[in-house]
Amino acid sequence: MTPHSSHANSPLPSASIIGTGSFVPKKVLTNADLERMVDTSDEWITTRTGIKERRIALPTKATSDMGAEASKRALQDAGLDASRIDLILCATVTPDMPFPSTACFIQKKIGATGAACLDLGAACSGFLYALETARQFVATGTFKTILVVGAEKLSSVVDWTDRNTCVLFGDAAGAAILQHRAKGRGILGTVMGSDGRHADILCLPGGGSKHPITPENVKDKLNTIKMSGKETYKFAITAMQNAALAVLKKTGVSAEQISLVIPHQANLRIVESLADKLGVGLDRCYVNLDKYGNTSAASVAVALDEAAKSGRLKRGDLILFVAFGGGLTWAASVLEW
Ligand code: UT7
């Protein structure tokens, strides 16, 4: 793996996170509920993944509804009006529809009439990819205020008869607002990379140009997530560790200096192995996958907002973000809060 890095110690203006927000649907689906749906058990799910429950959006709600709610909360947190947003970047693998972008629907729902909008797809690494993309625009002065959203309605693409996948995923959205702040160092550096040779081990094959929506493709369940769990797991362990170590090296920050690791919330065992490799206790890793399961592009965004709102972050703290996902993709960033 050769991560491509963006510049640490860059002479360009930095980008700070000046507000965060998140939204999770009210409906809770517990492991006990899943025991009644497929051949599984609370014991299996808990020991293999750490997940206890996940949230499920109402059938009438789309990804942009959750994204808009998280965005409104981030705007409120930043004390900004939606009219100040120059760009909305939405990371998602469950867009409202192939086009227009989910970012455009979020724009409409929050009234950010002056913004340019686009979606970005890097699966579970999507929020970190989007954050870094936003940073580049802030650094070059192209855009001043950027709303970065990670939002997913994974319940709409899960095969609820497949115990290998249906126990893992949930719905949620998180948002962060980026701006240059004279005194803030913000994002210190990022590494990100991909390996498309393994695109097929975690994918949603249907609904695109390769397998359009046809009665046959729907009958074959191509409109649902396909995953080789074991292979994904092995990749995840290596990718998370390598990306984390690479970004620490790049930014000249040691693991001991990191106040909080905010990892992608896929599996507690993956987080534990990352903590082990970094030599940090699990108490320095933010974990909420027990409550929400894997929410793909929303996962790091929601965890960041929860960590901020629960008082786990103090000004000047160094945060390490790490994610991996379908693609395969990986990303890690160090941010000074
Ligand atoms: O954001 C990226 C998204 N994906 C991931 O992060 C997934 C990464 N992979 C994982 O987290 C793990 O591989 C899983 C949690 C998906 C699976 O854990 P595992 O320890 O790798 O189990 P396994 O796939 O090797 O399956 C072990 C056994 C199998 O039975 P046999 O063949 O040994 O008889 C499975 O059929 O567990 C069975 N199994 C289940 N049993 C009860 C698979 N799913 C379930 C289930 N309940 N839900």
Side-chain angles (χ1 to χ4, degrees):
M1 186 196 313
T2 340
H4 297 286
S5 311
S6 56
H7 27 94
N9 308 320
S10 162
L12 296 169
S14 60
S16 296
I17 291 180
I18 62 158
T20 61
S22 62
F23 172 84
V24 293
K26 280 204 176 67
K27 183 179 157 62
V28 175
L29 185 72
T30 65
N31 290 351
D33 295 329
L34 281 161
E35 284 177 356
R36 290 187 283 275
M37 295 161 64
V38 286
D39 179 16
T40 190
S41 64
D42 173 45
E43 200 268 333
W44 191 97
I45 302 170
T46 306
T47 52
R48 302 282 176 140
T49 72
I51 300 166
K52 299 299 279 183
E53 54 190 46
R54 63 292 288 145
R55 300 300 179 98
I56 306 294
L58 290 170
T60 50
K61 295 290 179 190
T63 295
S64 68
D65 291 305
M66 293 184 282
E69 199 48 52
S71 301
K72 285 180 196 163
R73 293 173 187 182
L75 282 165
Q76 193 175 22
D77 191 38
L80 283 186
D81 189 81
S83 61
R84 297 279 300 281
I85 300 168
D86 301 310
L87 174 70
I88 302 175
L89 261 175
C90 179
T92 186
V93 294
T94 48
D96 286 20
M97 45 184 87
F99 78 89
S101 68
T102 300
C104 277
F105 291 115
I106 293 173
Q107 174 185 38
K108 181 178 170 190
K109 286 169 185 166
I110 65 173
T113 42
C117 296
L118 76 135
D119 286 2
L120 187 153
C124 305
S125 312
F127 183 71
L128 294 186
Y129 266 63
L131 212 53
E132 178 57 20
T133 305
R135 181 173 89 91
Q136 302 290 332
F137 281 124
V138 171
T140 54
T142 309
F143 295 114
K144 189 162 174 256
T145 306
I146 303 185
L147 169 63
V148 180
V149 186
E152 303 284 10
K153 188 183 174 188
L154 291 166
S155 61
S156 65
V157 292
V158 161
D159 175 357
W160 290 105
T161 66
D162 175 16
R163 70 175 183 173
N164 290 295
T165 51
C166 76
V167 302
L168 303 174
F169 300 103
D171 301 335
I177 296 172
L178 253 76
Q179 254 188 10
H180 169 63
R181 280 288 156 95
K183 285 190 182 148
R185 289 206 294 154
I187 299 167
L188 303 186
T190 297
V191 298
M192 45 197 219
S194 313
D195 188 347
R197 289 173 301 177
H198 307 294
D200 56 337
I201 70 168
L202 176 52
C203 61
L204 174 55
S209 57
K210 189 173 165 85
H211 303 292
I213 304 168
T214 61
E216 293 74 30
N217 287 341
V218 172
K219 195 166 135 279
D220 292 343
K221 296 190 171 171
L222 297 188
N223 58 325
T224 59
I225 294 176
K226 309 292 172 225
M227 183 183 73
S228 160
K230 268 257 177 303
E231 279 181 84
T232 309
Y233 185 85
K234 276 192 230 147
F235 162 78
I237 299 277
T238 316
M240 295 278 274
Q241 294 179 353
N242 288 352
L245 293 173
V247 81
L248 289 177
K249 190 169 173 213
K250 168 140 206 86
T251 53
V253 170
S254 69
E256 298 83 73
Q257 290 175 286
I258 297 292
S259 302
L260 191 64
V261 180
I262 301 187
H264 171 47
Q265 308 285 315
N267 185 319
L268 186 59
R269 286 148 63 206
I270 296 173
V271 179
E272 284 169 344
S273 93
L274 175 69
D276 259 13
K277 184 76 178 181
L278 295 175
V280 304
L282 199 57
D283 57 321
R284 267 204 280 158
C285 296
Y286 196 83
V287 174
N288 63 9
L289 59 87
D290 51 322
K291 295 187 293 180
Y292 307 134
N294 181 348
T295 60
S296 193
S299 129
V300 171
V302 173
L304 169 64
D305 181 51
E306 285 195 351
K309 300 285 163 61
S310 63
R312 294 236 2 218
L313 303 177
K314 296 186 306 294
R315 184 173 290 270
D317 276 358
L318 292 174
I319 306 171
L320 170 63
F321 296 109
V322 198
F324 73 96
L328 297 164
T329 58
W330 59 87
S333 297
V334 174
L335 175 119
E336 185 181 300
W337 188 246

Coordinates of all heavy atoms in Angstrom, one line a residue, residues 1 3 5 189-192 236-256 258 261 273-280 320-323 330-334:
M1 N 0.9 -1.2 0.0 CA 0.0 0.0 0.0 C 0.9 1.2 0.0 O 1.8 1.4 0.8 CB -0.9 0.0 1.3 CG -1.9 1.0 1.3 SD -2.5 1.2 3.0 CE -2.9 -0.4 3.5
P3 N 0.2 5.0 0.4 CA -0.7 6.1 0.5 C -0.3 7.4 -0.2 O 0.9 7.7 -0.1 CB -0.8 6.3 2.0 CG -0.1 5.2 2.7 CD 0.9 4.7 1.6
S5 N -0.2 11.2 -0.2 CA -0.4 12.2 0.9 C -0.7 13.6 0.5 O -0.2 14.0 -0.6 CB 0.9 12.2 1.7 OG 1.3 10.9 2.0
G189 N -2.8 17.1 8.3 CA -2.3 16.3 7.1 C -3.2 15.1 6.9 O -3.9 14.7 7.9
T190 N -3.2 14.5 5.7 CA -4.1 13.4 5.4 C -3.3 12.4 4.5 O -2.5 12.9 3.7 CB -5.3 13.9 4.6 OG1 -6.0 14.8 5.5 CG2 -6.2 12.8 4.1
V191 N -3.6 11.2 4.6 CA -3.2 10.2 3.6 C -4.4 9.5 3.1 O -5.4 9.3 3.9 CB -2.2 9.1 4.1 CG1 -0.9 9.8 4.6 CG2 -2.8 8.3 5.2
M192 N -4.5 9.2 1.9 CA -5.6 8.4 1.4 C -5.2 7.6 0.2 O -4.2 8.0 -0.5 CB -6.8 9.3 1.0 CG -6.6 10.6 0.3 SD -8.0 11.6 0.4 CE -8.1 12.3 -1.2
A236 N -9.1 -4.6 6.2 CA -9.4 -3.5 7.1 C -8.3 -3.4 8.2 O -7.9 -2.3 8.5 CB -10.8 -3.7 7.8
I237 N -7.9 -4.5 8.7 CA -6.9 -4.5 9.8 C -5.6 -3.8 9.3 O -5.1 -2.9 9.9 CB -6.6 -5.9 10.2 CG1 -7.8 -6.6 10.8 CG2 -5.4 -6.0 11.2 CD1 -8.1 -6.3 12.3
T238 N -5.1 -4.3 8.1 CA -3.9 -3.7 7.5 C -4.1 -2.3 7.1 O -3.2 -1.4 7.4 CB -3.5 -4.6 6.3 OG1 -3.7 -5.9 6.6 CG2 -2.1 -4.3 5.9
A239 N -5.2 -2.0 6.4 CA -5.3 -0.6 5.9 C -5.5 0.4 7.0 O -4.9 1.5 6.9 CB -6.6 -0.6 5.0
M240 N -6.2 0.1 8.0 CA -6.4 1.0 9.1 C -5.0 1.3 9.8 O -4.7 2.4 10.1 CB -7.4 0.5 10.2 CG -8.8 0.3 9.7 SD -9.7 1.8 9.7 CE -10.3 1.8 11.4
Q241 N -4.3 0.2 10.1 CA -3.0 0.4 10.8 C -2.0 1.2 9.9 O -1.4 2.1 10.4 CB -2.4 -1.0 11.1 CG -3.3 -1.8 12.1 CD -2.7 -3.1 12.4 OE1 -1.7 -3.6 11.8 NE2 -3.3 -3.8 13.4
N242 N -1.9 0.8 8.6 CA -0.9 1.4 7.7 C -1.3 2.9 7.5 O -0.4 3.8 7.6 CB -0.9 0.8 6.4 CG -0.2 -0.6 6.5 OD1 0.4 -0.9 7.5 ND2 -0.2 -1.3 5.4
A243 N -2.6 3.2 7.3 CA -3.0 4.6 7.1 C -2.7 5.4 8.4 O -2.2 6.6 8.3 CB -4.4 4.6 6.7
A244 N -3.0 4.9 9.5 CA -2.8 5.6 10.8 C -1.3 5.9 11.0 O -0.9 7.1 11.3 CB -3.4 4.8 12.0
L245 N -0.5 4.9 10.8 CA 0.9 5.1 11.0 C 1.5 6.1 10.0 O 2.3 6.9 10.3 CB 1.7 3.7 10.9 CG 1.4 2.8 12.1 CD1 2.0 1.4 11.8 CD2 1.8 3.3 13.4
A246 N 1.0 6.0 8.7 CA 1.5 6.9 7.7 C 1.2 8.3 8.0 O 2.0 9.2 7.7 CB 1.0 6.4 6.3
V247 N 0.0 8.6 8.4 CA -0.4 10.0 8.7 C 0.3 10.6 9.9 O 0.6 11.7 9.9 CB -1.9 10.2 8.7 CG1 -2.5 9.8 10.1 CG2 -2.3 11.6 8.3
L248 N 0.6 9.7 10.9 CA 1.3 10.2 12.0 C 2.7 10.6 11.6 O 3.3 11.6 12.0 CB 1.4 9.1 13.1 CG 0.1 8.8 13.9 CD1 0.2 7.6 14.8 CD2 -0.4 10.0 14.6
K249 N 3.3 9.7 10.8 CA 4.7 10.0 10.3 C 4.7 11.3 9.5 O 5.5 12.2 9.7 CB 5.1 8.8 9.4 CG 6.6 8.9 9.0 CD 7.1 7.6 8.4 CE 8.5 7.8 7.9 NZ 8.8 7.0 6.8
K250 N 3.7 11.4 8.6 CA 3.7 12.6 7.7 C 3.5 13.9 8.5 O 4.1 14.9 8.1 CB 2.5 12.4 6.8 CG 2.1 13.6 6.0 CD 1.7 13.3 4.6 CE 1.9 14.5 3.7 NZ 3.2 14.5 3.2
T251 N 2.7 13.9 9.6 CA 2.4 15.1 10.3 C 3.4 15.3 11.5 O 3.4 16.3 12.2 CB 1.0 15.1 10.9 OG1 0.8 13.9 11.6 CG2 0.0 15.1 9.8
G252 N 4.3 14.3 11.7 CA 5.3 14.4 12.8 C 4.6 14.4 14.1 O 5.1 14.9 15.1
V253 N 3.5 13.7 14.2 CA 2.8 13.6 15.5 C 3.0 12.1 16.0 O 2.9 11.2 15.2 CB 1.3 13.9 15.3 CG1 0.5 13.5 16.5 CG2 1.1 15.4 14.9
S254 N 3.2 11.9 17.3 CA 3.3 10.6 17.8 C 2.0 10.1 18.3 O 1.1 10.9 18.7 CB 4.3 10.5 18.9 OG 3.8 11.2 20.1
A255 N 1.8 8.8 18.4 CA 0.5 8.2 18.9 C 0.2 8.7 20.3 O -0.9 8.9 20.7 CB 0.6 6.7 18.9
E256 N 1.3 8.9 21.1 CA 1.1 9.4 22.5 C 0.4 10.8 22.5 O -0.3 11.1 23.5 CB 2.4 9.4 23.3 CG 3.1 8.1 23.5 CD 4.0 7.8 22.3 OE1 5.0 8.4 22.1 OE2 3.6 6.9 21.6
I258 N -1.8 11.9 20.5 CA -3.2 11.9 20.1 C -4.1 11.8 21.3 O -4.0 10.8 22.1 CB -3.4 10.7 19.1 CG1 -2.6 10.8 17.8 CG2 -4.9 10.5 18.8 CD1 -2.9 11.9 16.9
V261 N -8.6 8.9 19.1 CA -8.7 8.3 17.8 C -10.1 8.1 17.4 O -10.9 7.6 18.2 CB -8.0 6.9 17.8 CG1 -8.0 6.2 16.4 CG2 -6.6 7.0 18.3
S273 N -7.6 -3.8 17.3 CA -6.3 -4.1 16.7 C -5.6 -2.8 16.3 O -4.4 -2.7 16.4 CB -6.5 -5.0 15.5 OG -6.6 -4.3 14.3
L274 N -6.4 -1.8 15.9 CA -5.8 -0.5 15.6 C -5.2 0.1 16.9 O -4.0 0.6 16.9 CB -6.8 0.5 15.0 CG -6.3 1.9 14.7 CD1 -5.3 1.9 13.6 CD2 -7.5 2.8 14.4
A275 N -5.9 0.1 17.9 CA -5.4 0.6 19.2 C -4.2 -0.1 19.7 O -3.2 0.5 20.1 CB -6.5 0.5 20.3
D276 N -4.2 -1.4 19.5 CA -3.0 -2.2 19.9 C -1.8 -1.8 19.1 O -0.7 -1.6 19.6 CB -3.3 -3.7 19.5 CG -3.7 -4.5 20.7 OD1 -4.0 -3.9 21.7 OD2 -3.7 -5.8 20.6
K277 N -2.0 -1.7 17.8 CA -0.8 -1.3 16.9 C -0.3 0.0 17.2 O 0.9 0.3 17.2 CB -1.3 -1.3 15.4 CG -0.3 -1.1 14.4 CD 0.6 -2.3 14.2 CE 1.6 -2.1 13.1 NZ 2.5 -3.3 12.9
L278 N -1.2 1.0 17.6 CA -0.7 2.3 17.9 C -0.2 2.4 19.4 O 0.4 3.4 19.7 CB -1.9 3.3 17.7 CG -2.4 3.5 16.3 CD1 -3.7 4.4 16.3 CD2 -1.4 4.1 15.4
G279 N -0.5 1.4 20.2 CA -0.1 1.4 21.6 C -0.9 2.4 22.4 O -0.4 3.0 23.3
V280 N -2.2 2.6 22.0 CA -3.0 3.5 22.8 C -4.1 2.6 23.3 O -4.5 1.6 22.7 CB -3.7 4.7 21.9 CG1 -2.6 5.5 21.3 CG2 -4.7 4.2 20.9
L320 N -6.9 11.8 15.7 CA -6.6 10.9 14.6 C -7.8 10.3 14.0 O -8.5 9.5 14.7 CB -5.6 9.8 15.0 CG -5.2 8.7 14.0 CD1 -4.5 9.3 12.8 CD2 -4.3 7.7 14.7
F321 N -8.1 10.6 12.7 CA -9.3 9.9 12.1 C -8.7 8.8 11.2 O -7.7 9.0 10.5 CB -10.0 10.9 11.1 CG -10.6 12.1 11.7 CD1 -10.1 13.3 11.6 CD2 -11.8 11.9 12.5 CE1 -10.7 14.4 12.1 CE2 -12.4 13.0 13.0 CZ -11.9 14.3 12.9
V322 N -9.4 7.6 11.2 CA -8.9 6.5 10.3 C -10.1 5.8 9.8 O -11.1 5.5 10.5 CB -8.1 5.5 11.1 CG1 -7.3 4.6 10.1 CG2 -7.1 6.1 12.1
A323 N -10.1 5.5 8.5 CA -11.3 4.8 7.9 C -10.8 3.9 6.7 O -9.7 4.1 6.2 CB -12.3 5.7 7.4
W330 N -9.0 3.7 1.7 CA -8.6 4.0 3.0 C -8.2 5.5 3.1 O -7.9 6.1 2.1 CB -7.4 3.1 3.5 CG -6.2 3.3 2.7 CD1 -5.2 4.2 2.8 CD2 -5.8 2.5 1.5 NE1 -4.2 4.0 1.9 CE2 -4.6 2.9 1.1 CE3 -6.4 1.4 0.9 CZ2 -3.9 2.4 0.0 CZ3 -5.8 0.8 -0.2 CH2 -4.6 1.3 -0.7
A331 N -8.3 6.0 4.4 CA -7.9 7.4 4.6 C -7.6 7.6 6.1 O -8.2 6.9 6.9 CB -9.0 8.3 4.1
A332 N -6.7 8.5 6.4 CA -6.5 8.9 7.7 C -6.0 10.4 7.8 O -5.4 10.9 6.9 CB -5.4 8.0 8.4
S333 N -6.5 11.1 8.8 CA -6.1 12.5 9.0 C -5.8 12.8 10.4 O -6.3 12.1 11.3 CB -7.3 13.4 8.6 OG -7.7 13.3 7.3
V334 N -4.9 13.8 10.6 CA -4.7 14.3 11.9 C -5.2 15.7 12.0 O -5.0 16.5 11.0 CB -3.2 14.3 12.3 CG1 -2.9 15.0 13.7 CG2 -2.6 12.9 12.4

